[in-house]
Amino acid sequence: MSPPPPASNPDDYQQVVKDGVVASALGSAAMVARLLLSTEPVSAGWVIRRIFAAAITAVFVGWGVAEHIQSIPLRFAAVGAAGYAAPEVLDYVLRYVKARGEKELASVKPNAKKKSAKKRR
C-alpha cells in the first residue's frame, strides 16, 4: 500500500493537529481518571511508569497500524486498547523479569559458596 498523497492545503494540517491534540487530551484525561479511581496505594514513580508505558505503546501502535487500518475510528480504537492494556503488560513483564532474575541469583549463590569453600582447603 502506498501512503496517501500529502495535503497541500494548510487547513488540512491544522485539522490533523487539532484532532491529535483532542485525542491526546481525552486519552490523558482517561488515564488520570483511571489512576485516581484505583483502590491500591500508588507512588509517583508507579504513576509515571504507567503513563509512559501507555503513551509509548500508543505511539508505536499508532505508527504500526497507520498503513494497515484505513478506518480512522477503528485505528483510534486499536491505539486506545493497546495504550489501555500497556501498563498491565508492563507490570507483568517486570514481575516476570524480577522473578526470573531472583531464580537465577538463587541458583548461582549456592555454587559460589561451594567454590569459595573448595579454594580455602
Side-chain angles (χ1 to χ4, degrees), residues 31 34 50 53-55 57-58 61 77-88:
M31 182 59 124
R34 180 179 176 202
R50 293 177 77 85
T57 302
V61 169
V79 169
Y84 185 83
E88 282 76 20

Side-chain angles (χ1 to χ4, degrees), residues 31-121:
M31 182 59 124
V32 168
R34 180 179 176 202
L35 293 172
L36 289 176
L37 294 173
S38 174
T39 57
E40 57 190 68
V42 297
S43 66
W46 183 86
V47 170
I48 291 169
R49 184 181 74 223
R50 293 177 77 85
I51 289 173
F52 277 120
I56 291 169
T57 302
V59 167
F60 283 125
V61 169
W63 289 338
V65 301
E67 293 294 321
H68 303 288
I69 300 177
Q70 298 304 315
S71 170
I72 300 292
L74 184 58
R75 190 180 315 158
F76 283 163
V79 169
Y84 185 83
E88 282 76 20
V89 172
L90 176 67
D91 286 343
Y92 171 79
V93 168
L94 289 176
R95 280 194 305 266
Y96 175 79
V97 168
K98 184 178 179 181
R100 182 73 180 204
E102 288 174 356
K103 181 181 173 185
E104 289 294 322
L105 284 176
S107 68
V108 171
K109 283 183 181 178
N111 292 339
K113 290 180 183 177
K114 289 179 184 177
K115 288 180 182 177
S116 64
K118 287 181 181 178
K119 288 181 182 179
R120 288 182 192 165
R121 293 182 190 176

Side-chain angles (χ1 to χ4, degrees), residues 1-47:
M1 287 184 135
S2 61
S8 59
N9 188 358
D11 293 334
D12 292 341
Y13 291 119
Q14 291 174 351
Q15 184 63 35
V16 169
V17 170
K18 180 182 173 188
D19 290 347
V21 168
V22 169
S24 298
L26 289 174
S28 299
M31 182 59 124
V32 168
R34 180 179 176 202
L35 293 172
L36 289 176
L37 294 173
S38 174
T39 57
E40 57 190 68
V42 297
S43 66
W46 183 86
V47 170

